[in-house]
Each structure stands twice: as structure tokens, then as C-alpha cells.
Amino acid sequence: MRIDVFTIFPGLIDGFAAESLLGRAQEQGLLDVRAHDLRDHTDDRHHAVDDAPFGGGAGMVMTPDPIFRAVEAADPPRPLLLLGPGGRPFDQGMARELAAGSGFSLLCGRYEGIDQRVRDTLVDDEVSIGDYVLGGGEVAALVVIEAVGRLVPGVMGNDASAADESFADGLLEYPQYTRPARYRGLDVPDVLRSGDHGRVERWRRAQALARTIAARPDLIEARGGLSDADRTLLAEFALDERDQL
Ligand code: JF5
């Protein structure tokens, strides 16, 4: 999978991609992350990539020429996605779609925005990682690279696909414990040490449901509300729909 990134901070992308899982995946030839410096495609003394907005106003706008030239020189994989707070919300479903292809590209916005002609004629789609404003699209690009990269077959072994599938049923994770069984007077729930695997599975699902109800009611809504089976499971462990976990 090839991922091209257009940015004024290529070192941020290269540094991240060289570390941990993604670094190993690149060594194994599973992943090919290429950061392109927009300033390499400027001719002026200051390598300017921004300019004042037509019509006036505060701030600067990313000028189209370095972006068009960088993209044309790289001939990058499509789709080319612009990262910014005005985009389509990035989620696990989009990560899966991108991981199923052979590559894509990311354009990192900066300053007050990007010349509209880049959006209109060069970019395929706009993607947001959440409702907040970053100084630039680089951190958002890293989020997308990490979420997609770990789903590329071979990058993470079976762990990623297992965690991804559990997310697919639209619930948050159940609580996890490891040794010691008692830590600073805090005990691991008895059910997890009972050896009753059926009951462990039901407890985990009840916990995942209760946590999701408390923290992410929107995810419950997206699944079509609570089923009769969900309510029965919550009742088995005396978890109320309103319990705050
Ligand atoms: C950016 C203009 C891009 O702030 C973001 C962002 C927020 N959610 N997802 C991305 O991107 C940086 C800032 C200003 C364009």
C-alpha cells in the first residue's frame, strides 16, 4: 500500500512512519509512505506556500501552484484526500475502505485554508478527524495513516483485525484485567476467575453494552437501540440502562 502525503512538514510524517509498526511494515515492503515537501515546488527566495486572501481579511491562504506542482511531480495514488475540519468525518468504516485499496494520498492544509481551486480540481474528497481545529493537517494525516496502516494485511498480525471486528458490532470495549488478582486492595471481578467461559462472555458483552450506553448513546442509536437480548443481558448482571460505567 502506497500513501503519499503533501505537507510543509515532511519530517513529521517521515518520523512517525519510521517508528513502531509502520516502520517495520515499510521495511517488509507492506507499506510505502512518501512525504512530499510543498516548499520543494516553489521558485521564490522564501519558498512561500501561502499568500494574502483576495477580498481581504486576516490570515493567509495556501497558494495553488506548489500543491499542483507537487502532486503532478509525484503522480500519487488516488483518492487524494484533503484533511481539514470541514471534511467528511473519518471513522473505522472509512479506514477499512482505504485499507482495502492499493493506496491513497493526503494533502495537509495549513493557515486559514487552501485556495478553492485546489479543492475544485485537484482534490477528490475532504476528510475531518473530528470537530476541533488543529494548526495544520499533519497530525490528522498521521491519525489516518495509523488507522489504515494497522488494517493492511500483515502489518499487525491478527490483533488488528480482531479489534476491528469487535468495533464492527458498534460497541465500546469491555473492561480488561491482568495479574495481580488483587492490586492495592482492588480485586479483579470474580466472574473473570470463575472458569465459566459462557458467563465470562456474557459479562463482557453486558459491560460493553453498559459502557456504550453511558459514554456513547449515539452508537446505541446507530445500532437501532437496545434489543430484548441486550436488556436481558444487562439484567443478568444487574446493570441498569442508566448505570454510569
Ligand atoms: C487544517 C485549515 C486544515 O484542523 C484540522 C482538522 C480538524 N479535524 N480534522 C482535521 O486540519 C488542519 C486547519 C486549517 C485546513
Side-chain angles (χ1 to χ4, degrees), residues 62 82-88 90 107-114 119 127-141:
M62 291 184 81
L82 171 64
L83 293 157
R88 207 151 59 87
F90 181 70
L107 171 57
C108 302
R110 279 264 153 192
Y111 308 103
E112 308 312 305
I114 292 202
R119 285 198 166 87
V127 173
S128 164
I129 63 156
D131 293 338
Y132 34 76
V133 180
L134 305 170
E138 284 76 13
V139 168

Side-chain angles (χ1 to χ4, degrees), residues 123-155:
V123 159
D124 297 307
D125 204 356
E126 301 190 26
V127 173
S128 164
I129 63 156
D131 293 338
Y132 34 76
V133 180
L134 305 170
E138 284 76 13
V139 168
L142 298 181
V143 167
V144 171
I145 292 168
E146 168 116 349
V148 174
R150 62 190 290 286
L151 297 180
V152 171
V155 169

Side-chain angles (χ1 to χ4, degrees), residues 24-211:
R24 235 195 51 189
Q26 296 213 87
E27 283 165 15
Q28 293 175 324
L30 297 168
L31 210 57
D32 176 14
V33 177
R34 305 185 194 180
H36 305 279
D37 190 344
L38 295 173
R39 292 194 198 281
D40 290 346
H41 300 272
T42 54
D43 301 315
D44 65 302
R45 241 172 28 89
H46 295 103
H47 299 285
V49 293
D50 62 336
D51 207 338
F54 272 112
M60 299 289 270
V61 175
M62 291 184 81
T63 193
D65 195 51
I67 300 172
F68 272 89
R69 283 168 56 180
V71 169
E72 283 161 3
D75 189 22
R78 297 283 180 155
L80 171 58
L81 308 174
L82 171 64
L83 293 157
R88 207 151 59 87
F90 181 70
D91 63 10
Q92 192 67 16
M94 206 186 295
R96 276 184 212 126
E97 281 172 28
L98 292 171
S102 61
F104 61 94
S105 300
L106 301 169
L107 171 57
C108 302
R110 279 264 153 192
Y111 308 103
E112 308 312 305
I114 292 202
D115 188 285
Q116 185 60 33
R117 291 164 291 191
V118 172
R119 285 198 166 87
D120 290 344
T121 69
L122 191 65
V123 159
D124 297 307
D125 204 356
E126 301 190 26
V127 173
S128 164
I129 63 156
D131 293 338
Y132 34 76
V133 180
L134 305 170
E138 284 76 13
V139 168
L142 298 181
V143 167
V144 171
I145 292 168
E146 168 116 349
V148 174
R150 62 190 290 286
L151 297 180
V152 171
V155 169
M156 265 198 67
N158 292 332
D159 288 15
S161 48
D164 179 62
E165 274 159 30
S166 82
F167 202 94
D169 83 355
L171 295 178
L172 303 182
E173 294 300 304
Y174 50 78
Q176 302 264 25
Y177 296 87
T178 186
R179 279 184 289 268
R182 163 166 278 193
Y183 179 69
R184 299 192 178 189
L186 305 168
D187 288 325
V188 170
D190 285 336
V191 57
L192 297 179
R193 308 180 63 209
S194 68
D196 182 342
H197 297 301
R199 189 162 161 80
V200 167
E201 277 315 298
R202 295 199 305 284
W203 179 85
R204 285 178 166 165
R205 188 156 179 87
Q207 288 288 324
L209 271 169
R211 276 186 163 186

